[in-house]
Amino acid sequence: MTKQEADEFTTALSERYTQIQKCNSDNNKLLSLWEGVIETLPPDIKSEFEEKYDHLVRESSS
């Protein structure tokens, strides 16, 4: 996976995960599945995802 592909992937992943969390009362099973997948990401991808996810969370709480 190229750096650009990894960047696009983690951006899309973090955006979608944030959307799912906003509706987590309706999506508990889906949220649990996503959390499992996130745990299996390669360390570099997981780290980049976590950075983007944290940024999105801070934006949405502002």
Side-chain angles (χ1 to χ4, degrees):
M1 182 179 292
T2 68
K3 177 68 176 158
Q4 182 178 350
E5 289 171 332
D7 183 58
E8 291 171 1
F9 174 76
T10 56
T11 297
L13 185 65
S14 59
E15 289 172 352
R16 186 65 182 132
Y17 186 63
T18 302
Q19 290 171 347
I20 289 170
Q21 282 193 313
K22 288 180 183 175
C23 303
N24 70 357
S25 61
D26 297 328
N27 297 305
N28 285 331
K29 287 183 182 179
L30 181 58
L31 187 57
S32 177
L33 178 64
W34 272 76
E35 290 169 353
V37 169
I38 289 164
E39 287 302 312
T40 66
L41 292 172
D44 57 331
I45 298 291
K46 185 176 177 186
S47 174
E48 192 171 333
F49 160 78
E50 289 171 340
E51 287 177 28
K52 291 178 181 182
Y53 170 72
D54 290 342
H55 178 75
L56 288 171
V57 168
R58 283 191 303 268
E59 280 184 350
S60 68
S61 65
S62 298

Short mmCIF file of all heavy atoms in Angstrom, two decimals:
data_model
loop_
_atom_site.label_atom_id
_atom_site.label_comp_id
_atom_site.label_asym_id
_atom_site.label_seq_id
_atom_site.Cartn_x
_atom_site.Cartn_y
_atom_site.Cartn_z
N MET A 1 0.86 -1.17 0.00
CA MET A 1 0.00 0.00 0.00
C MET A 1 0.91 1.23 0.00
O MET A 1 1.81 1.34 0.82
CB MET A 1 -0.90 -0.03 1.24
CG MET A 1 -1.87 1.12 1.33
SD MET A 1 -2.97 1.08 2.78
CE MET A 1 -3.99 -0.32 2.44
N THR A 2 0.64 2.14 -0.90
CA THR A 2 1.44 3.37 -0.95
C THR A 2 1.03 4.29 0.19
O THR A 2 -0.03 4.11 0.81
CB THR A 2 1.24 4.11 -2.28
OG1 THR A 2 -0.10 4.60 -2.34
CG2 THR A 2 1.54 3.22 -3.48
N LYS A 3 1.86 5.28 0.45
CA LYS A 3 1.55 6.27 1.50
C LYS A 3 0.24 6.98 1.18
O LYS A 3 -0.59 7.19 2.07
CB LYS A 3 2.72 7.27 1.60
CG LYS A 3 2.49 8.38 2.58
CD LYS A 3 2.48 7.89 4.01
CE LYS A 3 2.34 9.05 4.96
NZ LYS A 3 1.84 8.68 6.25
N GLN A 4 0.01 7.32 -0.09
CA GLN A 4 -1.24 8.00 -0.47
C GLN A 4 -2.44 7.09 -0.27
O GLN A 4 -3.47 7.52 0.23
CB GLN A 4 -1.18 8.47 -1.92
CG GLN A 4 -2.44 9.22 -2.34
CD GLN A 4 -2.39 9.73 -3.77
OE1 GLN A 4 -1.37 9.70 -4.42
NE2 GLN A 4 -3.52 10.20 -4.25
N GLU A 5 -2.31 5.82 -0.64
CA GLU A 5 -3.40 4.88 -0.44
C GLU A 5 -3.70 4.69 1.05
O GLU A 5 -4.86 4.64 1.45
CB GLU A 5 -3.06 3.53 -1.08
CG GLU A 5 -3.07 3.55 -2.59
CD GLU A 5 -2.50 2.27 -3.19
OE1 GLU A 5 -1.66 1.61 -2.55
OE2 GLU A 5 -2.90 1.96 -4.32
N ALA A 6 -2.65 4.61 1.84
CA ALA A 6 -2.83 4.47 3.29
C ALA A 6 -3.51 5.70 3.87
O ALA A 6 -4.40 5.60 4.72
CB ALA A 6 -1.48 4.24 3.98
N ASP A 7 -3.13 6.87 3.39
CA ASP A 7 -3.74 8.12 3.86
C ASP A 7 -5.22 8.16 3.49
O ASP A 7 -6.06 8.49 4.32
CB ASP A 7 -3.01 9.31 3.25
CG ASP A 7 -3.55 10.63 3.75
OD1 ASP A 7 -3.53 10.84 4.98
OD2 ASP A 7 -4.01 11.45 2.92
N GLU A 8 -5.55 7.80 2.26
CA GLU A 8 -6.96 7.80 1.83
C GLU A 8 -7.76 6.77 2.62
O GLU A 8 -8.90 7.03 3.02
CB GLU A 8 -7.03 7.50 0.33
CG GLU A 8 -6.50 8.63 -0.52
CD GLU A 8 -6.37 8.27 -2.00
OE1 GLU A 8 -6.71 7.13 -2.38
OE2 GLU A 8 -5.92 9.14 -2.76
N PHE A 9 -7.17 5.61 2.86
CA PHE A 9 -7.84 4.56 3.61
C PHE A 9 -8.13 4.99 5.04
O PHE A 9 -9.26 4.86 5.52
CB PHE A 9 -6.99 3.29 3.60
CG PHE A 9 -7.53 2.19 4.46
CD1 PHE A 9 -8.61 1.44 4.05
CD2 PHE A 9 -6.95 1.91 5.69
CE1 PHE A 9 -9.12 0.43 4.86
CE2 PHE A 9 -7.44 0.90 6.49
CZ PHE A 9 -8.53 0.15 6.08
N THR A 10 -7.12 5.53 5.71
CA THR A 10 -7.33 5.92 7.11
C THR A 10 -8.27 7.11 7.23
O THR A 10 -9.02 7.19 8.19
CB THR A 10 -5.99 6.21 7.82
OG1 THR A 10 -5.28 7.21 7.09
CG2 THR A 10 -5.15 4.96 7.94
N THR A 11 -8.25 8.00 6.26
CA THR A 11 -9.21 9.11 6.26
C THR A 11 -10.63 8.58 6.16
O THR A 11 -11.50 8.93 6.97
CB THR A 11 -8.92 10.09 5.12
OG1 THR A 11 -7.62 10.66 5.31
CG2 THR A 11 -9.95 11.20 5.06
N ALA A 12 -10.88 7.72 5.19
CA ALA A 12 -12.23 7.16 5.00
C ALA A 12 -12.65 6.34 6.21
O ALA A 12 -13.79 6.43 6.67
CB ALA A 12 -12.26 6.31 3.74
N LEU A 13 -11.73 5.55 6.74
CA LEU A 13 -12.03 4.71 7.89
C LEU A 13 -12.39 5.55 9.11
O LEU A 13 -13.39 5.29 9.79
CB LEU A 13 -10.82 3.82 8.20
CG LEU A 13 -10.99 2.79 9.30
CD1 LEU A 13 -12.03 1.75 8.90
CD2 LEU A 13 -9.66 2.11 9.56
N SER A 14 -11.61 6.57 9.39
CA SER A 14 -11.89 7.39 10.57
C SER A 14 -13.19 8.18 10.42
O SER A 14 -13.96 8.31 11.37
CB SER A 14 -10.72 8.33 10.86
OG SER A 14 -10.47 9.18 9.77
N GLU A 15 -13.48 8.66 9.21
CA GLU A 15 -14.73 9.39 8.99
C GLU A 15 -15.93 8.47 9.18
O GLU A 15 -16.92 8.84 9.83
CB GLU A 15 -14.75 10.00 7.59
CG GLU A 15 -13.79 11.18 7.46
CD GLU A 15 -13.65 11.69 6.04
OE1 GLU A 15 -14.18 11.05 5.09
OE2 GLU A 15 -12.98 12.72 5.86
N ARG A 16 -15.85 7.27 8.63
CA ARG A 16 -16.98 6.34 8.74
C ARG A 16 -17.15 5.88 10.19
O ARG A 16 -18.27 5.76 10.68
CB ARG A 16 -16.75 5.13 7.83
CG ARG A 16 -17.91 4.19 7.77
CD ARG A 16 -19.13 4.86 7.15
NE ARG A 16 -20.24 3.94 7.17
CZ ARG A 16 -21.46 4.23 7.58
NH1 ARG A 16 -21.76 5.47 7.96
NH2 ARG A 16 -22.40 3.34 7.59
N TYR A 17 -16.07 5.60 10.87
CA TYR A 17 -16.14 5.15 12.26
C TYR A 17 -16.79 6.23 13.13
O TYR A 17 -17.62 5.93 14.00
CB TYR A 17 -14.74 4.81 12.76
CG TYR A 17 -14.71 4.20 14.13
CD1 TYR A 17 -15.31 2.98 14.39
CD2 TYR A 17 -14.05 4.85 15.17
CE1 TYR A 17 -15.25 2.43 15.66
CE2 TYR A 17 -13.99 4.29 16.43
CZ TYR A 17 -14.59 3.08 16.67
OH TYR A 17 -14.54 2.53 17.92
N THR A 18 -16.46 7.48 12.89
CA THR A 18 -17.06 8.59 13.63
C THR A 18 -18.56 8.64 13.39
O THR A 18 -19.35 8.83 14.32
CB THR A 18 -16.41 9.92 13.24
OG1 THR A 18 -15.00 9.83 13.49
CG2 THR A 18 -16.97 11.08 14.03
N GLN A 19 -18.98 8.43 12.15
CA GLN A 19 -20.41 8.42 11.82
C GLN A 19 -21.12 7.29 12.55
O GLN A 19 -22.22 7.48 13.07
CB GLN A 19 -20.61 8.27 10.31
CG GLN A 19 -20.19 9.48 9.52
CD GLN A 19 -20.21 9.21 8.03
OE1 GLN A 19 -20.30 8.07 7.57
NE2 GLN A 19 -20.10 10.27 7.25
N ILE A 20 -20.50 6.13 12.57
CA ILE A 20 -21.12 4.98 13.24
C ILE A 20 -21.24 5.24 14.73
O ILE A 20 -22.26 4.93 15.34
CB ILE A 20 -20.31 3.70 12.97
CG1 ILE A 20 -20.49 3.28 11.52
CG2 ILE A 20 -20.71 2.57 13.91
CD1 ILE A 20 -19.56 2.19 11.07
N GLN A 21 -20.23 5.85 15.33
CA GLN A 21 -20.29 6.12 16.77
C GLN A 21 -21.40 7.10 17.12
O GLN A 21 -21.99 7.00 18.19
CB GLN A 21 -18.95 6.66 17.25
CG GLN A 21 -17.94 5.58 17.43
CD GLN A 21 -16.75 6.08 18.19
OE1 GLN A 21 -16.23 7.14 17.90
NE2 GLN A 21 -16.32 5.30 19.17
N LYS A 22 -21.70 8.04 16.24
CA LYS A 22 -22.77 8.99 16.52
C LYS A 22 -24.12 8.30 16.64
O LYS A 22 -25.01 8.78 17.30
CB LYS A 22 -22.82 10.05 15.41
CG LYS A 22 -21.66 11.02 15.48
CD LYS A 22 -21.74 12.04 14.37
CE LYS A 22 -20.54 12.97 14.42
NZ LYS A 22 -20.54 13.90 13.29
N CYS A 23 -24.26 7.16 16.00
CA CYS A 23 -25.51 6.40 16.03
C CYS A 23 -25.34 5.09 16.79
O CYS A 23 -26.03 4.12 16.53
CB CYS A 23 -25.98 6.10 14.61
SG CYS A 23 -26.19 7.54 13.58
N ASN A 24 -24.41 5.06 17.74
CA ASN A 24 -24.04 3.80 18.35
C ASN A 24 -25.18 3.10 19.08
O ASN A 24 -25.15 1.90 19.24
CB ASN A 24 -22.81 3.93 19.24
CG ASN A 24 -23.04 4.71 20.50
OD1 ASN A 24 -24.12 5.24 20.73
ND2 ASN A 24 -22.02 4.81 21.32
N SER A 25 -26.18 3.81 19.51
CA SER A 25 -27.28 3.12 20.19
C SER A 25 -28.02 2.21 19.21
O SER A 25 -28.56 1.19 19.61
CB SER A 25 -28.24 4.13 20.80
OG SER A 25 -28.81 4.95 19.80
N ASP A 26 -28.02 2.54 17.94
CA ASP A 26 -28.65 1.71 16.93
C ASP A 26 -27.68 0.73 16.30
O ASP A 26 -28.10 -0.18 15.59
CB ASP A 26 -29.24 2.58 15.81
CG ASP A 26 -30.33 3.52 16.31
OD1 ASP A 26 -31.05 3.13 17.25
OD2 ASP A 26 -30.46 4.62 15.76
N ASN A 27 -26.40 0.90 16.53
CA ASN A 27 -25.39 0.12 15.82
C ASN A 27 -24.39 -0.57 16.74
O ASN A 27 -23.22 -0.68 16.39
CB ASN A 27 -24.62 1.05 14.85
CG ASN A 27 -25.50 1.62 13.79
OD1 ASN A 27 -26.17 0.89 13.08
ND2 ASN A 27 -25.51 2.94 13.68
N ASN A 28 -24.82 -1.04 17.88
CA ASN A 28 -23.87 -1.64 18.83
C ASN A 28 -23.10 -2.81 18.23
O ASN A 28 -21.89 -2.94 18.43
CB ASN A 28 -24.57 -2.07 20.11
CG ASN A 28 -24.92 -0.89 20.98
OD1 ASN A 28 -24.23 0.12 20.97
ND2 ASN A 28 -26.00 -1.00 21.74
N LYS A 29 -23.78 -3.68 17.48
CA LYS A 29 -23.10 -4.82 16.88
C LYS A 29 -22.12 -4.35 15.82
O LYS A 29 -21.00 -4.86 15.73
CB LYS A 29 -24.10 -5.79 16.27
CG LYS A 29 -24.87 -6.58 17.29
CD LYS A 29 -25.79 -7.57 16.64
CE LYS A 29 -26.60 -8.32 17.68
NZ LYS A 29 -27.52 -9.28 17.06
N LEU A 30 -22.53 -3.38 15.02
CA LEU A 30 -21.65 -2.86 13.97
C LEU A 30 -20.45 -2.17 14.58
O LEU A 30 -19.31 -2.35 14.14
CB LEU A 30 -22.43 -1.89 13.07
CG LEU A 30 -21.68 -1.28 11.91
CD1 LEU A 30 -21.11 -2.35 10.98
CD2 LEU A 30 -22.60 -0.35 11.12
N LEU A 31 -20.67 -1.40 15.62
CA LEU A 31 -19.58 -0.70 16.30
C LEU A 31 -18.58 -1.71 16.88
O LEU A 31 -17.37 -1.53 16.75
CB LEU A 31 -20.14 0.20 17.40
CG LEU A 31 -19.17 1.12 18.09
CD1 LEU A 31 -18.48 2.04 17.10
CD2 LEU A 31 -19.91 1.95 19.13
N SER A 32 -19.07 -2.77 17.46
CA SER A 32 -18.21 -3.80 18.01
C SER A 32 -17.38 -4.45 16.91
O SER A 32 -16.18 -4.71 17.09
CB SER A 32 -19.05 -4.86 18.72
OG SER A 32 -18.25 -5.89 19.20
N LEU A 33 -17.98 -4.70 15.77
CA LEU A 33 -17.26 -5.27 14.64
C LEU A 33 -16.15 -4.33 14.17
O LEU A 33 -15.01 -4.75 13.95
CB LEU A 33 -18.23 -5.56 13.49
CG LEU A 33 -17.63 -6.12 12.21
CD1 LEU A 33 -17.01 -7.49 12.47
CD2 LEU A 33 -18.70 -6.22 11.14
N TRP A 34 -16.47 -3.05 14.04
CA TRP A 34 -15.47 -2.05 13.64
C TRP A 34 -14.32 -2.01 14.63
O TRP A 34 -13.15 -1.94 14.23
CB TRP A 34 -16.12 -0.67 13.52
CG TRP A 34 -16.68 -0.41 12.17
CD1 TRP A 34 -17.85 -0.91 11.67
CD2 TRP A 34 -16.12 0.41 11.15
NE1 TRP A 34 -18.02 -0.43 10.40
CE2 TRP A 34 -16.99 0.37 10.06
CE3 TRP A 34 -14.97 1.18 11.07
CZ2 TRP A 34 -16.73 1.07 8.89
CZ3 TRP A 34 -14.72 1.87 9.90
CH2 TRP A 34 -15.60 1.81 8.83
N GLU A 35 -14.62 -2.03 15.91
CA GLU A 35 -13.56 -1.99 16.92
C GLU A 35 -12.64 -3.20 16.78
O GLU A 35 -11.41 -3.07 16.91
CB GLU A 35 -14.16 -1.90 18.31
CG GLU A 35 -14.80 -0.55 18.57
CD GLU A 35 -15.64 -0.48 19.83
OE1 GLU A 35 -15.87 -1.52 20.48
OE2 GLU A 35 -16.08 0.63 20.16
N GLY A 36 -13.20 -4.36 16.47
CA GLY A 36 -12.39 -5.55 16.26
C GLY A 36 -11.49 -5.41 15.05
O GLY A 36 -10.32 -5.80 15.08
N VAL A 37 -12.03 -4.86 13.98
CA VAL A 37 -11.23 -4.66 12.76
C VAL A 37 -10.11 -3.66 13.02
O VAL A 37 -8.97 -3.86 12.62
CB VAL A 37 -12.14 -4.20 11.60
CG1 VAL A 37 -11.31 -3.73 10.42
CG2 VAL A 37 -13.09 -5.31 11.19
N ILE A 38 -10.42 -2.59 13.70
CA ILE A 38 -9.42 -1.56 13.99
C ILE A 38 -8.27 -2.15 14.79
O ILE A 38 -7.10 -1.83 14.54
CB ILE A 38 -10.07 -0.36 14.71
CG1 ILE A 38 -10.96 0.40 13.71
CG2 ILE A 38 -9.02 0.57 15.32
CD1 ILE A 38 -11.94 1.35 14.35
N GLU A 39 -8.57 -3.04 15.71
CA GLU A 39 -7.53 -3.66 16.52
C GLU A 39 -6.58 -4.52 15.68
O GLU A 39 -5.44 -4.75 16.07
CB GLU A 39 -8.14 -4.51 17.64
CG GLU A 39 -8.74 -3.68 18.75
CD GLU A 39 -7.73 -2.73 19.38
OE1 GLU A 39 -6.61 -3.17 19.72
OE2 GLU A 39 -8.06 -1.55 19.54
N THR A 40 -7.03 -5.00 14.53
CA THR A 40 -6.19 -5.86 13.69
C THR A 40 -5.41 -5.10 12.62
O THR A 40 -4.67 -5.72 11.85
CB THR A 40 -7.03 -6.96 13.01
OG1 THR A 40 -7.94 -6.35 12.08
CG2 THR A 40 -7.79 -7.79 14.03
N LEU A 41 -5.58 -3.79 12.56
CA LEU A 41 -4.86 -3.01 11.56
C LEU A 41 -3.35 -3.06 11.82
O LEU A 41 -2.94 -3.12 12.98
CB LEU A 41 -5.32 -1.54 11.59
CG LEU A 41 -6.73 -1.25 11.13
CD1 LEU A 41 -7.08 0.22 11.42
CD2 LEU A 41 -6.92 -1.55 9.66
N PRO A 42 -2.55 -2.99 10.76
CA PRO A 42 -1.10 -2.88 10.97
C PRO A 42 -0.81 -1.63 11.80
O PRO A 42 -1.53 -0.63 11.71
CB PRO A 42 -0.54 -2.72 9.55
CG PRO A 42 -1.60 -3.28 8.65
CD PRO A 42 -2.91 -3.01 9.34
N PRO A 43 0.24 -1.66 12.62
CA PRO A 43 0.51 -0.56 13.54
C PRO A 43 0.59 0.83 12.88
O PRO A 43 0.06 1.79 13.44
CB PRO A 43 1.86 -0.94 14.16
CG PRO A 43 1.91 -2.42 14.06
CD PRO A 43 1.18 -2.76 12.80
N ASP A 44 1.20 0.93 11.71
CA ASP A 44 1.31 2.24 11.08
C ASP A 44 -0.04 2.76 10.62
O ASP A 44 -0.36 3.93 10.78
CB ASP A 44 2.32 2.23 9.93
CG ASP A 44 1.99 1.19 8.86
OD1 ASP A 44 1.37 0.15 9.18
OD2 ASP A 44 2.36 1.42 7.69
N ILE A 45 -0.86 1.88 10.08
CA ILE A 45 -2.21 2.26 9.64
C ILE A 45 -3.07 2.60 10.86
O ILE A 45 -3.80 3.60 10.87
CB ILE A 45 -2.86 1.13 8.82
CG1 ILE A 45 -2.05 0.83 7.56
CG2 ILE A 45 -4.30 1.45 8.48
CD1 ILE A 45 -2.07 1.91 6.52
N LYS A 46 -2.99 1.78 11.90
CA LYS A 46 -3.78 2.02 13.11
C LYS A 46 -3.41 3.36 13.74
O LYS A 46 -4.29 4.11 14.16
CB LYS A 46 -3.56 0.89 14.11
CG LYS A 46 -4.43 1.00 15.34
CD LYS A 46 -4.25 -0.18 16.26
CE LYS A 46 -5.07 -0.01 17.51
NZ LYS A 46 -4.82 -1.07 18.47
N SER A 47 -2.14 3.66 13.79
CA SER A 47 -1.68 4.93 14.37
C SER A 47 -2.22 6.12 13.58
O SER A 47 -2.72 7.09 14.16
CB SER A 47 -0.15 4.96 14.39
OG SER A 47 0.30 6.21 14.81
N GLU A 48 -2.15 6.02 12.26
CA GLU A 48 -2.65 7.11 11.42
C GLU A 48 -4.17 7.25 11.56
O GLU A 48 -4.70 8.35 11.65
CB GLU A 48 -2.28 6.88 9.96
CG GLU A 48 -2.50 8.10 9.10
CD GLU A 48 -1.92 7.95 7.70
OE1 GLU A 48 -0.95 7.20 7.51
OE2 GLU A 48 -2.46 8.61 6.81
N PHE A 49 -4.87 6.11 11.63
CA PHE A 49 -6.31 6.13 11.85
C PHE A 49 -6.63 6.82 13.17
O PHE A 49 -7.51 7.69 13.23
CB PHE A 49 -6.88 4.71 11.87
CG PHE A 49 -8.22 4.61 12.55
CD1 PHE A 49 -9.36 5.02 11.90
CD2 PHE A 49 -8.33 4.17 13.86
CE1 PHE A 49 -10.60 4.96 12.54
CE2 PHE A 49 -9.54 4.11 14.50
CZ PHE A 49 -10.69 4.51 13.83
N GLU A 50 -5.93 6.45 14.24
CA GLU A 50 -6.21 7.02 15.55
C GLU A 50 -5.99 8.53 15.57
O GLU A 50 -6.78 9.27 16.18
CB GLU A 50 -5.36 6.34 16.62
CG GLU A 50 -5.81 4.92 16.89
CD GLU A 50 -4.87 4.12 17.76
OE1 GLU A 50 -3.69 4.49 17.88
OE2 GLU A 50 -5.34 3.11 18.32
N GLU A 51 -4.96 9.00 14.88
CA GLU A 51 -4.73 10.45 14.79
C GLU A 51 -5.88 11.15 14.09
O GLU A 51 -6.38 12.18 14.56
CB GLU A 51 -3.43 10.72 14.02
CG GLU A 51 -2.18 10.41 14.78
CD GLU A 51 -0.93 10.64 13.94
OE1 GLU A 51 -0.97 11.49 13.03
OE2 GLU A 51 0.07 9.96 14.21
N LYS A 52 -6.32 10.59 12.97
CA LYS A 52 -7.42 11.21 12.22
C LYS A 52 -8.72 11.11 13.00
O LYS A 52 -9.51 12.06 13.01
CB LYS A 52 -7.54 10.55 10.85
CG LYS A 52 -6.37 10.90 9.97
CD LYS A 52 -6.45 10.22 8.64
CE LYS A 52 -5.21 10.60 7.83
NZ LYS A 52 -5.25 10.02 6.50
N TYR A 53 -8.95 9.99 13.64
CA TYR A 53 -10.15 9.82 14.44
C TYR A 53 -10.19 10.83 15.59
O TYR A 53 -11.21 11.50 15.81
CB TYR A 53 -10.23 8.39 14.98
CG TYR A 53 -11.30 8.21 16.01
CD1 TYR A 53 -12.64 8.21 15.64
CD2 TYR A 53 -10.98 8.09 17.35
CE1 TYR A 53 -13.63 8.08 16.60
CE2 TYR A 53 -11.96 7.95 18.30
CZ TYR A 53 -13.28 7.94 17.93
OH TYR A 53 -14.26 7.83 18.87
N ASP A 54 -9.08 10.98 16.30
CA ASP A 54 -9.01 11.95 17.39
C ASP A 54 -9.29 13.36 16.89
O ASP A 54 -9.98 14.14 17.55
CB ASP A 54 -7.65 11.90 18.09
CG ASP A 54 -7.43 10.63 18.88
OD1 ASP A 54 -8.42 9.94 19.20
OD2 ASP A 54 -6.26 10.34 19.19
N HIS A 55 -8.76 13.69 15.73
CA HIS A 55 -9.00 15.01 15.14
C HIS A 55 -10.50 15.21 14.85
O HIS A 55 -11.07 16.26 15.15
CB HIS A 55 -8.18 15.17 13.86
CG HIS A 55 -8.40 16.47 13.17
ND1 HIS A 55 -7.87 17.67 13.63
CD2 HIS A 55 -9.09 16.78 12.04
CE1 HIS A 55 -8.24 18.64 12.83
NE2 HIS A 55 -8.97 18.14 11.85
N LEU A 56 -11.13 14.19 14.28
CA LEU A 56 -12.56 14.29 13.97
C LEU A 56 -13.40 14.43 15.24
O LEU A 56 -14.37 15.19 15.27
CB LEU A 56 -13.03 13.05 13.18
CG LEU A 56 -12.57 12.97 11.74
CD1 LEU A 56 -12.91 11.61 11.17
CD2 LEU A 56 -13.20 14.06 10.90
N VAL A 57 -13.03 13.72 16.28
CA VAL A 57 -13.76 13.79 17.55
C VAL A 57 -13.64 15.19 18.15
O VAL A 57 -14.62 15.75 18.62
CB VAL A 57 -13.26 12.70 18.55
CG1 VAL A 57 -13.80 12.94 19.92
CG2 VAL A 57 -13.62 11.33 18.04
N ARG A 58 -12.43 15.75 18.11
CA ARG A 58 -12.24 17.10 18.63
C ARG A 58 -13.06 18.10 17.81
O ARG A 58 -13.65 19.02 18.39
CB ARG A 58 -10.76 17.48 18.60
CG ARG A 58 -9.95 16.84 19.70
CD ARG A 58 -8.56 17.43 19.82
NE ARG A 58 -7.80 17.34 18.59
CZ ARG A 58 -6.98 16.35 18.26
NH1 ARG A 58 -6.83 15.33 19.09
NH2 ARG A 58 -6.31 16.36 17.12
N GLU A 59 -13.10 17.94 16.49
CA GLU A 59 -13.89 18.86 15.64
C GLU A 59 -15.38 18.78 15.96
O GLU A 59 -16.06 19.78 16.02
CB GLU A 59 -13.68 18.52 14.16
CG GLU A 59 -12.44 19.05 13.56
CD GLU A 59 -12.36 18.75 12.08
OE1 GLU A 59 -13.19 17.97 11.55
OE2 GLU A 59 -11.45 19.28 11.43
N SER A 60 -15.87 17.57 16.15
CA SER A 60 -17.31 17.40 16.37
C SER A 60 -17.75 17.85 17.76
O SER A 60 -18.91 18.16 17.96
CB SER A 60 -17.73 15.95 16.12
OG SER A 60 -17.19 15.12 17.11
N SER A 61 -16.83 17.89 18.70
CA SER A 61 -17.18 18.34 20.04
C SER A 61 -17.00 19.84 20.24
O SER A 61 -17.34 20.38 21.28
CB SER A 61 -16.38 17.57 21.10
OG SER A 61 -15.02 17.85 20.99
N SER A 62 -16.47 20.50 19.23
CA SER A 62 -16.27 21.96 19.33
C SER A 62 -17.52 22.71 18.97
O SER A 62 -18.36 22.30 18.28
CB SER A 62 -15.17 22.39 18.38
OG SER A 62 -13.95 21.79 18.73
#
